[in-house]
Amino acid sequence: MKSSEVREMTSEEMHRKVIDLKQELFNLRFQHEIGQLENQARIRKTKQDIARLLTVIREVSKNPQPVKA
C-alpha cells in the first residue's frame, strides 16, 4: 500500500483499515509461532502498512485541510 493510496481514503476508511491490518498481523504472528507461515515478509509489510496509515491519520488530524466551497 502506497502513501498516495492512503491519502485518498477517508478518515473512517483509514481507521477501519488499521483495525483490519492489526487483526491480520495477529493472525500472521500466530501462524508464525505454530510454523504455518510460509512468507515471513508479510509480517514486516503489514507492520509498515499499519505505521503508514497511523502516520497519515496523525498528519490529517494535526493539519486539517480547509474545506473548499
Side-chain angles (χ1 to χ4, degrees):
M1 176 181 308
K2 295 182 178 183
S3 62
S4 60
E5 295 171 358
V6 173
R7 292 181 194 284
E8 293 174 359
M9 295 178 171
T10 64
S11 179
E12 186 176 315
E13 290 173 334
M14 286 189 275
H15 286 288
R16 173 59 48 199
K17 187 71 173 173
V18 168
I19 292 169
D20 293 343
L21 287 173
K22 284 185 177 183
Q23 181 64 40
E24 182 181 345
L25 181 60
F26 173 80
N27 291 334
L28 290 171
R29 286 180 173 160
F30 187 75
Q31 289 175 5
H32 178 68
E33 287 298 317
I34 61 174
Q36 291 184 343
L37 185 63
E38 294 179 10
N39 185 1
Q40 295 178 4
R42 284 184 58 203
I43 292 175
R44 182 173 184 229
K45 174 133 177 50
T46 304
K47 285 181 181 180
Q48 288 175 337
D49 288 343
I50 292 169
R52 186 171 292 118
L53 280 162
L54 292 176
T55 300
V56 172
I57 289 170
R58 175 110 170 131
E59 286 176 359
V60 170
S61 68
K62 287 287 225 174
N63 299 318
Q65 297 290 331
V67 178
K68 296 180 180 176

